[in-house]
Amino acid sequence: MAAIAIVVGVPGVGKTTVISRVVDRLGALGYNAEIINYGDIMLKKALELGLVENRDEMRKLPVTKQLYLQRVAAEWISKRSEEVDLILLDTHLFIRTPRGRWPGISENNIPYLKGVVQLVLIEADPEDISRRRMRDKSRIRSDYGSVSEIEADQLYNRYMSTSISIRYGCPVYILKNEEGKVDEAVEELVKVLERVITDSRVD
Ligand code: AP5
């Protein structure tokens, strides 16, 4: 079974930017790592069903629909090829819905997400995250809130990460993605994930 590292962070923290470069670096070092973006899989199904027109509409769907999409995506992930050393699962510990924060990992999808051996929580300065969101014109994030809400969301992620860590018995690595220092963040995470891969092989 492929080892899974769950990678989370508030939207705009730069997790997609960091992990796409991490996978390239791991490849150059001879490791076979693959990114699965949870939102992409949910979006594919949601589009097929005509539920949404873009990814930013998913978090506003009725929670029952989101639970369904979340479970379908987890089933898909559990059937993925097992020919890789590591899957980096790009996702969220919570989603901001109109009813409040809703868990991205819970009893709804944990039964399908086997092989989780690491949680990586990416953080950055809330002011920087706010500016990154504003620069990204491809997304509709006007409902994401102020700098103080970003700060509160990052704290909420820390609380949530403890429950995931306890559930899977896996470590939580907190990675800072500082402004203009993506290279440094990538190198730091590559070192951690090399340990994850070698530990998994020993197991
Ligand atoms: P998802 O696909 O994860 O999208 P998102 O979190 O809204 O946004 P991104 O992932 O695009 O942000 P990011 O943090 O990766 O930032 P990026 O690298 O782009 O989720 C979409 C939806 O799917 C969710 O809303 C939800 O509905 C659903 N979903 C997902 N998982 C789910 C689950 N488990 N259960 C239920 N629903 C789920 O970077 C942003 C910008 O910052 C870029 O311009 C980049 O160039 C810049 N940048 C990055 N790093 C730096 C740096 N160090 N310095 C300067 N600029 C930087």
Side-chain angles (χ1 to χ4, degrees):
M1 183 167 56
I4 297 179
I6 294 178
V7 184
V8 295
V10 299
V13 74
K15 69 191 153 57
T16 307
T17 304
V18 170
I19 62 174
S20 45
R21 291 174 57 174
V22 162
V23 161
D24 291 345
R25 284 279 295 116
L26 286 172
L29 292 168
Y31 301 109
N32 190 0
E34 176 183 296
I35 296 172
I36 295 181
N37 182 299
Y38 209 111
D40 282 352
I41 303 160
M42 286 179 62
L43 180 62
K44 188 166 178 285
K45 188 69 185 173
L47 288 170
E48 272 170 27
L49 296 173
L51 294 172
V52 296
E53 288 180 1
N54 63 60
R55 67 199 301 120
D56 289 302
E57 288 177 2
M58 285 197 298
R59 62 179 178 273
K60 296 162 197 163
L61 284 170
V63 169
T64 47
K65 291 265 188 309
Q66 294 190 60
L67 280 163
Y68 170 72
L69 294 170
Q70 188 184 59
R71 207 166 44 244
V72 168
E75 282 169 349
W76 185 91
I77 293 163
S78 75
K79 288 184 193 137
R80 271 299 295 162
S81 149
E82 295 177 355
E83 291 162 17
V84 290
D85 293 315
L86 184 70
I87 287 173
L88 296 178
L89 184 58
D90 181 346
T91 187
H92 292 278
L93 290 183
F94 72 89
I95 291 88
R96 268 180 175 266
T97 76
R99 285 171 52 190
R101 294 180 180 94
W102 169 67
I105 309 287
S106 72
E107 291 304 325
N108 189 50
N109 53 4
I110 283 173
Y112 303 100
L113 298 177
K114 298 195 192 306
V116 174
V117 293
Q118 182 72 43
L119 180 61
V120 177
L121 172 55
I122 305 187
E123 294 182 345
D125 182 288
E127 303 256 7
D128 291 335
I129 295 171
S130 179
R131 279 192 286 270
R132 288 174 200 169
R133 286 179 184 175
M134 279 188 272
R135 281 200 301 263
D136 186 357
K137 304 290 180 209
S138 68
R139 302 293 305 275
I140 305 156
R141 288 169 163 149
S142 50
D143 57 324
Y144 273 168
S146 60
V147 170
S148 63
E149 283 175 274
I150 295 173
E151 201 170 356
D153 283 351
Q154 292 207 111
L155 191 58
Y156 199 86
N157 257 341
R158 287 210 178 188
Y159 299 147
M160 295 287 285
S161 68
T162 58
S163 62
I164 300 302
S165 171
I166 291 166
R167 178 64 177 74
Y168 283 107
C170 70
V172 181
Y173 193 86
I174 298 180
L175 180 78
K176 301 285 181 197
N177 179 26
E178 289 176 38
E179 192 65 16
K181 294 192 176 172
V182 180
D183 288 345
E184 287 84 341
V186 169
E187 286 314 309
E188 190 179 332
L189 187 51
V190 164
K191 286 198 182 81
V192 175
L193 294 178
E194 276 192 280
R195 290 293 291 256
V196 171
I197 293 169
T198 50
D199 283 2
S200 303
R201 284 177 178 165
V202 170
D203 295 345

